[in-house]
Amino acid sequence: MNISLGPLLYCWPKAQVQAFYREVADSTIPLIYLGEAVCSRRRQMKFADYLALAHELKDAGKQVVLSTLALIEAQSELKELKKQLDNGEFIVEANDMAAVGMAREQGLPFVCGASINNYNRASLDKLHQWGMQRFVMPIELSKTWLQKVTTPAPSFEVELLGYGYLPLAHSARCFTARHRGLAKDDCQTICIQHPKGLVAQTQEQQPLLRLNGIQTQSAGRCDLRRDIPEMKRLGVDWFRVSPDGHDSIALAESLRQDAGSEVDAETSNEACNGYWHGAPGMVYRR
């Protein structure tokens, strides 16, 4: 099993994004997902900017996958999606069935992202017939489900989000803008002021969710590092780190060095791993 770095899900200034990925280029992480996967109104980075970074990462010896939007609502977004698929060099992570359909029509290989509801082996086998090379397990499913769906062993690769804030849902509404009293059409890209999202608490002041524009994330950071040996036994090919800062690069590198061995996990109140163990997602099972 190896380590991948998922797409950056937050809105950062262009210079900060470029600096982050140049640090990634100097790392030992072999597989990098790159692109805007949350909101098309985040225009700090254009597709041409991401493509330039993709070439830099490839020149540094990385395997690069271009991530697509998880919620496509407009013709302009479909046009942008077509540009991604027509890049002529890099495969895409399809996070919406529109991307799957376009890739199938063009006979292009693709990765199926976790935001597509793959809940049984029949659908996975059909997607593989259409060109899926790898699928990312939906974040709310368990190791028991994974064992069932990958028996017998599939001819496609398996990846799961093993470390990072979980993307729980996407909406046509922008909750970050709404929190600031702004309309979505005039959001002023306010999410750039929250580089790790905006934590929403219960009335008892307990962290509950993390607002990231139109995306709702877990307040707690999923941490499945202790389960790496079991994932390896179950045939997981890639353990994904979802980045939220420069520390994510060092963490992914350390996991790559230790993959397959016992790893000490953080025990802070922020950690969660419930979904993997068939429990409520926000709990942490030791």
Side-chain angles (χ1 to χ4, degrees), residues 82-107:
K82 189 174 187 306
K83 282 167 54 178
Q84 289 177 288
L85 286 161
D86 291 343
N87 76 85
E89 189 170 357
F90 305 100
I91 70 170
V92 302
E93 178 187 37
N95 289 310
D96 181 277
M97 283 302 293
V100 171
M102 285 188 179
R104 181 192 177 197
E105 288 174 1
Q106 298 181 44

Side-chain angles (χ1 to χ4, degrees), residues 21-210:
Y21 281 107
R22 282 166 188 152
E23 186 176 337
V24 170
D26 293 331
S27 75
T28 60
I29 307 169
L31 175 60
I32 312 298
Y33 289 83
L34 188 67
E36 179 54 59
V38 177
C39 182
S40 62
R41 294 181 180 276
R42 296 175 175 180
R43 302 187 178 101
Q44 297 289 314
M45 292 284 293
K46 304 292 194 296
F47 175 65
D49 299 319
Y50 279 121
L51 200 57
L53 284 177
H55 283 108
E56 288 184 32
L57 290 166
K58 182 183 177 182
D59 290 343
K62 312 301 181 188
Q63 180 185 344
V64 179
V65 179
L66 299 177
S67 293
T68 68
L69 288 173
L71 181 62
I72 295 178
E73 302 179 88
Q75 284 295 324
S76 60
E77 294 168 349
L78 284 172
K79 289 180 180 178
E80 194 72 11
L81 173 60
K82 189 174 187 306
K83 282 167 54 178
Q84 289 177 288
L85 286 161
D86 291 343
N87 76 85
E89 189 170 357
F90 305 100
I91 70 170
V92 302
E93 178 187 37
N95 289 310
D96 181 277
M97 283 302 293
V100 171
M102 285 188 179
R104 181 192 177 197
E105 288 174 1
Q106 298 181 44
L108 297 173
F110 61 91
V111 176
C112 201
S115 58
I116 294 181
N117 297 331
N118 285 314
Y119 295 146
N120 59 71
R121 180 61 178 268
S123 64
L124 290 168
D125 286 339
K126 178 60 69 176
L127 286 164
H128 181 55
Q129 292 176 18
W130 292 350
M132 182 188 76
Q133 306 298 298
R134 180 186 314 127
F135 98 101
V136 186
M137 176 175 144
I139 55 96
E140 72 274 22
L141 299 181
S142 69
K143 59 182 176 182
T144 302
W145 176 90
L146 181 63
Q147 184 169 21
K148 289 178 180 178
V149 86
T150 56
T151 304
S155 51
F156 48 81
E157 291 186 328
V158 178
E159 181 173 355
L160 59 80
L161 198 166
Y163 190 89
Y165 298 109
L166 298 173
L168 301 174
H170 296 82
S171 172
R173 292 177 179 268
C174 176
F175 298 112
T176 307
R178 188 179 180 88
H179 173 73
R180 299 292 291 270
L182 298 170
K184 182 181 177 183
D185 290 341
D186 186 28
C187 67
Q188 301 173 29
T189 322
I190 200 70
C191 53
I192 202 170
Q193 297 183 14
H194 304 285
K196 289 189 179 183
L198 180 64
V199 177
Q201 297 180 319
T202 66
Q203 291 183 342
E204 291 75 30
Q205 305 302 308
Q206 296 175 330
L208 179 63
L209 299 169
R210 189 172 295 267

